[in-house]
Amino acid sequence: MFEGFGRLLYRRRKPVLLLTMLFAVLSGAYGAGVFGSLTPLGFQDPGSDSVRAARIAEKAFPQRTPDAVIVYRDKDRTVDDPSFQQAVVGQLESLPKSEVTGYLDFWRTKMPAQVSHDRHATYVALNLHGSSEKAKEDAYKAVKDKIPAPGLQTLQGGTVPTGHQASEKIEHDLRTAEIISAPVLFLLLLVVFGGLTAAFLPLLVGVLSILGSMAVLRTIANITDVSVFSMSLVTILGLAVAIDYGLLIVSRYREELAAGYTGEEAIGRTLATAGRTVMVSGTTVAAALAGLTLFPSTFLKSMSYGGVAAVLLAVLFSLVALPALLAVMGPKVNAFPLRRRKKAVHAAGAGEGSWYRFGHGLMRRRWVVVVGAVGLLVTLALPFSKIEFGSINAQQLPSTSEGRQVFNAMEHDFDGDAVKSIDSLLVLKSDGTSKDQGAALKAYAERLGATKGATSARITGVEGTTARVSVTFDGNAISTHARDLVNRLKDVPEPPGARAYFGGESAVYDDTLDALGETLPWMLLYIAVMTYLLLFLAFGSVLLPLKAIAMNMLSLSATFGVLVWIFQDGHLHNLLGFDPTGNIEPNMPIMLFALIFGLSMDYEVFLVSRMREQYDKQGDSTEAVAMGLRSIGRLVVSAAVLMCVPLAAIGMSDVLTIKLFGVGMVFAVLVDVLVVRILLGTAVMRLLGRAAWWAPGPLARFYERFGIKETDVPEDTDERVPVPTG
């Protein structure tokens, strides 16, 4: 099938390229506005009680749930100076009512908590118009330049301004990463291919994938909320995966040319071999990322949307646009060489080469390699056992950002944050101001205050059939202690006929972990089943998929251990340029799990498919492993290094979550390829021997008929060994 598709592409190469150019122009024009369609956060479960509580509170008590916290400071005047008050209040009153629904300042509330210790600063709680994160961000953008008061230092923080600043910073960092990555990737591709023309082609696939993915995300954003963080995955994954697939296709095409095939035949053979590998690899990555849609949070769903779009488009352009371009170029793909190309290597010399000898060396010392590799991975994984989860807040931003400065000011310059507590939002059966309902509310507040871990509880608002009881406690709002308190408070009986929804930072944290914990087993089961099925179709073995999944778990555990050691414990923070928070946002390990698991399967398919091809030809498992490693080992390492370039560039971001993503992915890719796939994988293949390729009779026949093999070219074609072309 794939060989026939390749021949069809050869015959229709010019129309295909014209359609590709049209797609690039249209998707680029449409997708350019994607950032304006994305939401800033999306880490919460939208169906949770804490989100419901926030909606109730926003409607009934907007002054307690500000969208923005504005800090005004003067180094000479205090808040007691009439001119200080006039500057702040006058500026607030000038804000358009269509965008700002209300605000609370110190001179209105008389709350000491709104004045700094030195009385030279105050903060204002600001509420914005809009029923969604995106609508509130639009309202903020309309007024943010009108908030600063004349003569005063003004810092804008809180939920909406911090989210907006994060979006702007991410957009800037992604553009910087692209600017840094492109020339470095091109230089490395020059080294890999040894020619200017061939080096350009994988980059072209990456650009097409990114443009298409941006258009897809903007389309999805018109239907549902999409987090701005998804753009980091689209930009980096689209570029990295497309280069991997483009590298595989171009390399195989050059091998076919070196073996004497030209034109239609070379394209057909390329699609029949490397094309099938790209398809199954991309499908495996996309299937793993699709598992993120099982989670309720907008962040994880958005990562799935962006990741699946980037990978599938990379596959599409690698299998359609790139072969069509190669068909037009023909032998000119080797134009402008930087070094003399090597002559074709004949089958008689197939056993020669450093990768071949390296593979046999690993297999001779298989037990030493297995024990050493597993020991290293387990050691790296140990810090993962003490992971602490936290929530996304202004600490994700660099210390120079206003949102981070407001966060620090609230932590250090003010006695307490008057907008922070565990709040029970009650929907009552009758008016809360009635005598009977008031007595029931008072008794309920007393029960909450007497709960273990609570320091006090008081009724802080009654509005019709809605009431709020605020509970205070000692300690960090994002901690196991606070989470336990939330769950104890939920067990306290409500007033008769009332329904309580708990909100606040601690309740959001508890609901987030509950939602992730409930869904995670289903995602793991889905990924395991899909991966097993796809790898069986690729390898025709019942054991190799299990081996691949087990090795993936080792690789992932080591990656998570290193991330905890760096980002939670704070090691290397000076070198990497971040302030450790003492915890890890819980959505991030799940997103990284799906992504790393999929990409690990990518390299597994690259390597083992070539081994399967050799095994089908020779029937010798040991020789098949050595020959497969010789054929594609250098290419896989090159692909991993190339993928790490954009990941390392995004790891330079000043947004902590994006930095963690970049650093974690670089480590995961390098460890997975160098330690897990090449060292451990080769040794384990030797231990398994012929059993590695075994399948029961019915499954073996199923594979022979429907398997996604490395090659389906006719049996009477000349056997050959892939030839290095650079």
Side-chain angles (χ1 to χ4, degrees):
M1 181 185 72
F2 268 68
E3 185 179 15
F5 179 65
R7 292 177 180 273
L8 177 63
L9 282 176
Y10 180 84
R11 294 191 294 268
R12 300 287 187 268
R13 53 193 180 276
K14 291 183 179 179
V16 169
L17 289 179
L18 287 175
L19 288 174
T20 301
M21 292 174 61
L22 180 62
F23 174 87
V25 172
L26 294 178
S27 61
Y30 179 70
V34 64
F35 274 98
S37 304
L38 303 179
T39 58
L41 297 173
F43 289 90
Q44 301 178 19
D45 174 7
S48 65
D49 278 2
S50 56
V51 170
R52 177 72 183 275
R55 291 171 181 162
I56 295 172
E58 183 175 10
K59 183 177 180 180
F61 316 107
Q63 69 276 11
R64 280 284 297 183
T65 55
D67 299 310
V69 176
I70 314 300
V71 173
Y72 294 100
R73 176 180 293 278
D74 190 286
K75 64 178 182 179
D76 299 319
R77 293 174 292 176
T78 69
V79 297
D80 305 304
D81 191 313
S83 63
F84 192 119
Q85 176 182 354
Q86 183 179 0
V88 173
V89 175
Q91 195 65 28
L92 294 173
E93 291 178 346
S94 69
L95 298 177
K97 302 299 186 290
S98 59
E99 310 294 348
V100 178
T101 59
Y103 62 86
L104 286 178
D105 59 74
F106 161 69
W107 299 279
R108 181 184 303 180
T109 66
K110 305 300 182 183
M111 290 193 303
Q114 283 190 265
V115 179
S116 64
H117 301 148
D118 61 5
R119 302 192 69 79
H120 283 271
T122 184
Y123 74 82
V124 174
L126 202 70
N127 290 93
L128 299 165
H129 179 77
S131 58
S132 66
E133 290 180 345
K134 183 65 175 61
K136 289 181 180 295
E137 186 184 25
D138 290 340
Y140 171 69
K141 288 190 288 187
V143 300
K144 67 184 182 109
D145 294 333
K146 303 174 184 178
I147 291 176
L152 297 176
Q153 179 192 13
T154 304
L155 297 174
Q156 304 180 35
T159 304
V160 177
T162 298
H164 175 68
Q165 292 161 24
S167 298
E168 289 188 326
K169 187 61 182 166
I170 290 171
E171 183 176 5
H172 173 269
D173 290 348
L174 289 177
R175 289 175 179 169
T176 302
E178 291 170 356
I179 293 171
I180 294 173
S181 299
V184 176
L185 285 170
F186 185 69
L187 290 175
L188 289 175
L189 285 168
L190 283 176
V191 174
V192 173
F193 285 124
L196 289 170
T197 305
F200 169 76
L201 297 178
L203 284 174
L204 178 62
V205 177
V207 171
L208 289 171
S209 301
I210 292 172
L211 292 177
S213 300
M214 291 170 65
V216 170
L217 273 189
R218 186 175 182 184
T219 301
I220 296 175
N222 291 330
I223 302 171
T224 186
D225 288 341
V226 177
S227 172
V228 68
F229 287 94
S230 63
M231 274 306 300
S232 61
L233 195 59
V234 161
T235 301
I236 301 307
L237 186 64
L239 185 61
V241 173
I243 287 177
D244 271 12
Y245 297 160
L247 182 65
L248 194 65
I249 295 291
V250 174
S251 296
R252 191 66 184 235
Y253 179 69
R254 296 176 83 197
E255 289 179 12
E256 301 298 342
L257 291 180
Y261 299 100
T262 59
E264 184 175 331
E265 191 174 26
I267 292 296
R269 292 177 64 88
T270 297
L271 267 290
T273 53
R276 284 201 167 199
T277 299
V278 167
M279 188 199 71
V280 71
S281 297
T283 302
T284 305
V285 179
L289 288 171
L292 296 177
T293 59
L294 298 174
F295 292 93
S297 74
T298 299
F299 170 78
L300 291 178
K301 287 182 182 294
S302 300
M303 287 299 190
S304 178
Y305 303 149
V308 171
V311 171
L312 292 184
L313 285 171
V315 171
L316 175 66
F317 290 120
S318 296
L319 298 185
V320 178
L322 183 56
L325 184 57
L326 290 171
V328 171
M329 298 175 68
K332 291 181 180 178
V333 69
N334 295 315
F336 306 109
L338 300 184
R339 60 178 181 265
R340 181 179 299 177
R341 295 180 60 235
K342 298 177 183 179
K343 296 181 179 180
V345 179
H346 300 288
E352 301 174 358
S354 58
W355 279 100
Y356 179 86
R357 294 190 296 272
F358 180 59
H360 273 294
L362 291 174
M363 288 186 281
R364 283 195 301 271
R365 300 167 180 82
R366 49 195 176 276
W367 282 112
V368 174
V369 173
V370 169
V371 172
V374 171
L376 172 63
L377 294 170
V378 170
T379 301
L380 292 173
L382 290 177
F384 184 41
S385 63
K386 60 176 184 178
I387 188 171
E388 293 286 341
F389 293 115
S391 64
I392 290 290
N393 55 34
Q395 287 179 293
Q396 299 292 316
L397 295 175
S399 57
T400 55
S401 68
E402 290 190 33
R404 176 67 178 276
Q405 292 178 45
V406 169
F407 178 88
N408 291 340
M410 299 300 291
E411 289 287 315
H412 304 295
D413 297 343
F414 294 85
D415 284 332
D417 185 352
V419 301
K420 182 168 64 177
S421 63
I422 300 176
D423 292 339
S424 175
L425 276 298
L426 293 153
V427 179
L428 307 171
K429 67 176 183 178
S430 61
D431 194 315
T433 59
S434 66
K435 183 177 180 181
D436 291 343
Q437 194 68 78
L441 277 175
K442 183 178 180 181
Y444 176 65
E446 290 175 351
R447 292 195 295 273
L448 292 180
T451 302
K452 179 182 177 182
T455 56
S456 69
R458 61 190 181 92
I459 301 171
T460 53
V462 178
E463 186 69 33
T465 58
T466 304
R468 182 189 63 244
V469 180
S470 299
V471 181
T472 60
F473 60 96
D474 293 328
N476 194 331
I478 303 300
S479 63
T480 302
H481 163 71
R483 190 183 181 201
D484 291 342
L485 175 58
V486 169
N487 285 291
R488 286 193 291 268
L489 294 173
K490 289 179 179 180
D491 292 335
V492 174
E494 299 100 330
R499 172 69 166 92
Y501 300 90
F502 283 85
E505 192 175 10
S506 300
V508 169
Y509 173 64
D510 180 62
D511 285 345
T512 298
L513 291 184
D514 283 345
L516 295 177
E518 291 172 2
T519 310
L520 182 60
W522 295 106
M523 186 198 79
L524 296 178
L525 177 62
Y526 160 80
I527 289 179
V529 171
M530 288 297 296
T531 298
Y532 189 92
L533 292 175
L534 287 168
L535 292 188
F536 173 77
L537 290 174
F539 305 149
S541 164
V542 296
L543 293 181
L544 287 182
L546 294 177
K547 179 217 59 160
I549 292 172
M551 291 199 309
N552 267 21
M553 300 310 297
L554 282 172
S555 179
L556 282 160
S557 298
T559 298
F560 291 154
V562 169
L563 288 179
V564 169
W565 185 77
I566 293 175
F567 289 96
Q568 178 178 301
D569 298 345
H571 297 98
L572 307 182
H573 69 279
N574 289 326
L575 177 64
L576 295 175
F578 71 94
D579 296 325
T581 60
N583 54 55
I584 303 289
E585 203 288 322
N587 287 276
M588 290 303 295
I590 293 174
M591 186 272 290
L592 286 171
F593 179 93
L595 182 56
I596 295 169
F597 198 98
L599 290 177
S600 297
M601 290 296 105
D602 222 18
Y603 297 117
E604 180 80 1
V605 171
F606 284 8
L607 283 164
V608 182
S609 291
R610 276 294 180 94
M611 295 176 185
R612 178 75 211 203
E613 179 185 0
Q614 296 298 325
Y615 182 74
D616 288 341
K617 291 179 180 179
Q618 302 176 11
D620 185 327
S621 180
T622 301
E623 191 68 10
V625 172
M627 288 296 297
L629 197 60
R630 177 194 182 278
S631 299
I632 203 169
R634 173 179 173 270
L635 190 66
V636 167
V637 173
S638 299
V641 172
L642 288 165
M643 178 173 281
C644 287
V645 171
L647 292 172
I650 198 60
M652 297 167 60
S653 172
D654 289 330
V655 180
L656 185 57
T657 302
I658 304 300
K659 184 183 290 292
L660 183 148
F661 165 72
V663 172
M665 287 301 301
V666 168
F667 178 84
V669 169
L670 292 179
V671 166
D672 188 78
V673 170
L674 300 178
V675 178
V676 176
R677 302 301 151 192
I678 292 180
L679 297 182
L680 182 59
T682 301
V684 170
M685 289 295 290
R686 178 63 183 88
L687 290 175
L688 292 175
R690 293 179 64 88
W693 312 105
W694 176 81
L699 290 179
R701 289 189 293 272
F702 182 87
Y703 170 74
E704 285 300 321
R705 184 171 181 181
F706 302 106
I708 309 172
K709 303 177 186 178
E710 174 66 12
T711 179
D712 60 359
V713 296
E715 290 296 328
D716 59 349
T717 57
D718 294 332
E719 290 190 6
R720 64 182 182 85
V721 176
V723 181
T725 59

